[in-house]
């Protein structure tokens, strides 16, 4: 079987562009000539999975990735892998199991998606950045030295940050009425939000590096090309609707309450997600913090204005 680059979460936020970019890069490489891309998904019948399956060098396989074993990886001759894990409370147990399987299967290099760099620390109040810290700490131990890895620490995705702004614009265009504009953003805190597709491009370029040792044990910070504040988002909305926004709620994290109410997990754990955006409000997640290596691999270019336009279908 051909040597394989496995993409876990191929139909997700970052996985889709990772697959698309890899497919293009494999067309012009000699080092990885003959490699295939195995796109893991929970549903091979989804429209996204079917579109990916049409790309050169791509094969789609439906499976539940936490069930992947070392034997499964060896059978598919997986040499390199990408993983964008979930952020549920059992993330560490499931993702660490995958990395252990990769180590035992002889996988050479893994690129993983982490979270906002300012939050990845053992004392993060929000629970899931601690899981990412724990995974990175585990991978840094001597026991995992045979497995090369790079952890990408992207800022909040532009699509999420601007979703409510796009929703208000669309509704105003349909009805001429405004509801409260609820923004996760603070009024004045500058944040270098990033298009999730551009994270996928960086991941793909890393997976195509001839010498993975150059990026081994690296933790790269990814932000968009420019900062945006809550007030600037409001201004963009007003330009689209041609009038003043009547009511704005900054620092709105009410959605976390809804998540906690719907979850079977500990409410205290889920509610801790509210604290994940505090570093952004404090100005610790600006575009200036992007790692220079990222700028050399594939500097993010999509501005908040461009992403908002895309969300509106324009």
């Amino acid at each position: 079987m051909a040597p394989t680059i496995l993409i876990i979460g191929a139909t997700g936020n970052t996985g889709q562009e990772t697959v698309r970019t890899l497919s293009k890069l494999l067309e012009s490489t000699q080092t990885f000539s003959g490699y295939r891309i195995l796109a893991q998904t929970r549903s091979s019948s989804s429209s996204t999975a079917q579109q990916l399956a049409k790309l050169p060098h791509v094969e789609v396989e439906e499976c539940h990735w936490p069930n992947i074993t070392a034997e499964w990886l060896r059978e598919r001759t997986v040499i390199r892998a990408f993983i964008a894990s979930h952020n549920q409370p059992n993330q560490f147990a499931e993702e660490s199991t995958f990395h252990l399987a990769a180590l035992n299967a002889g996988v050479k290099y893994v690129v993983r998606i982490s979270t906002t760099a300012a939050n990845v620390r053992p004392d993060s109040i929000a629970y899931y950045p601690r899981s990412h810290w724990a995974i990175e700490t585990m991978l840094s131990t001597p026991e995992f030295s045979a497995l090369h890895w790079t952890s990408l620490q992207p800022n909040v995705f532009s699509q999420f940050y601007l979703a409510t702004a796009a929703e208000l614009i669309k509704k105003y265009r349909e009805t001429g009425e405004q509801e409260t504009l609820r923004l996760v953003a603070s009024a004045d805190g500058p944040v270098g939000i990033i298009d999730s597709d551009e994270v996928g491009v960086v991941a793909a370029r890393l997976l195509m590096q001839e010498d993975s040792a150059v990026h081994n044990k690296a933790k790269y910070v990814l932000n968009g090309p420019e900062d945006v504040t809550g007030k600037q988002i409001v201004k963009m909305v007003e330009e689209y609707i041609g009038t003043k926004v009547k009511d704005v709620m900054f620092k709105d994290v009410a959605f976390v309450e809804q998540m906690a109410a719907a979850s079977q997990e500990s409410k205290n754990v889920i509610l801790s997600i509210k604290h994940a955006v505090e570093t952004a409000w404090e100005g610790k997640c600006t575009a200036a913090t992007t790692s220079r290596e990222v700028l050399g691999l594939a500097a993010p270019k999509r501005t908040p204005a461009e992403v908002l336009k895309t969300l509106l279908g324009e």
Side-chain angles (χ1 to χ4, degrees):
M1 187 176 290
T4 301
I5 303 174
L6 171 66
I7 308 300
I8 292 179
T11 56
N13 288 332
T14 55
Q16 292 181 49
E17 191 57 34
T18 302
V19 173
R20 288 192 289 260
T21 303
L22 275 174
S23 177
K24 294 174 185 176
L25 293 174
L26 282 177
E27 292 285 273
S28 59
T29 179
Q30 292 190 356
T31 302
F32 298 96
S33 177
Y35 274 61
R36 67 171 183 147
I37 302 163
L38 184 60
Q40 175 274 334
T41 179
R42 287 176 294 179
S43 175
S44 58
S45 62
S46 70
S47 59
T48 300
Q50 291 178 355
Q51 289 171 8
L52 294 178
K54 296 176 182 178
L55 296 174
H57 313 289
V58 176
E59 296 178 30
V60 171
E61 180 163 343
E62 181 176 318
C63 73
H64 185 47
W65 71 260
N67 291 334
I68 290 175
T69 63
E71 181 181 15
W72 188 98
L73 293 167
R74 283 192 293 266
E75 288 175 350
R76 290 157 181 79
T77 60
V78 175
I79 306 299
R80 295 187 173 197
F82 165 89
I83 179 168
S85 180
H86 59 74
N87 64 353
Q88 296 301 310
N90 64 336
Q91 177 196 344
F92 178 83
E94 294 193 334
E95 188 179 344
S96 64
T97 296
F98 169 76
H99 292 299
L100 183 60
L103 174 70
N104 291 330
V107 174
K108 302 301 182 184
Y109 183 40
V110 173
V111 176
R112 66 178 300 275
I113 300 297
S114 181
T115 190
T116 306
N119 292 336
V120 184
R121 58 181 197 269
D123 62 342
S124 170
I125 299 177
Y127 76 86
Y128 67 89
R130 296 197 303 271
S131 296
H132 284 292
W133 172 85
I135 290 288
E136 292 171 355
T137 301
M138 180 193 77
L139 291 173
S140 299
T141 61
E143 289 82 355
F144 277 83
S145 60
L147 178 64
H148 287 185
W149 60 276
T150 302
S151 197
L152 300 182
Q153 299 179 330
N155 208 337
V156 61
F157 293 151
S158 305
Q159 289 85 346
F160 168 76
Y161 214 65
L162 300 173
T164 53
E167 289 170 8
L168 186 144
I169 294 168
K170 290 177 181 178
K171 188 159 188 177
Y172 182 81
R173 286 174 169 176
E174 293 174 358
T175 67
E177 298 178 357
Q178 288 189 42
E179 295 183 349
T180 299
L181 175 57
R182 299 177 179 275
L183 297 174
V184 174
S186 65
D188 299 302
V191 184
I193 60 177
I194 185 167
D195 183 335
S196 57
D197 280 352
E198 296 196 305
V199 178
V201 172
V202 173
R205 291 197 172 275
L206 281 167
L207 288 166
M208 293 296 289
Q209 296 294 300
E210 291 188 22
D211 184 8
S212 60
V214 175
H215 302 283
N216 186 29
K217 295 185 174 65
K219 292 173 278 190
Y220 293 148
V221 180
L222 295 86
N223 302 287
E226 64 182 42
D227 296 324
V228 68
T229 66
K231 288 180 179 177
Q232 288 172 326
I233 296 174
V234 173
K235 185 177 180 181
M236 285 194 288
V237 171
E238 291 175 341
E239 289 173 352
Y240 274 104
I241 66 176
T243 187
K244 289 288 184 182
V245 171
K246 293 180 180 179
D247 187 26
V248 185
M249 180 177 292
F250 296 111
K251 298 184 177 181
D252 179 48
V253 289
F255 67 92
V256 180
E257 299 279 355
Q258 298 169 5
M259 290 172 61
S263 176
Q264 299 301 310
E265 306 288 348
S266 165
K267 297 297 184 287
N268 184 46
V269 171
I270 302 302
L271 288 173
S272 73
I273 295 173
K274 288 183 177 182
H275 297 281
V277 289
E278 290 175 354
T279 50
W281 298 341
E282 295 166 358
K284 296 178 180 178
C285 307
T286 64
T289 62
T290 300
S291 297
R292 60 178 179 79
E293 292 86 354
V294 170
L295 300 177
L297 286 163
K301 298 177 180 178
R302 298 204 71 207
T303 66
E306 290 171 332
V307 174
L308 180 58
K309 187 174 181 178
T310 300
L311 289 174
L312 294 171
E314 299 180 358

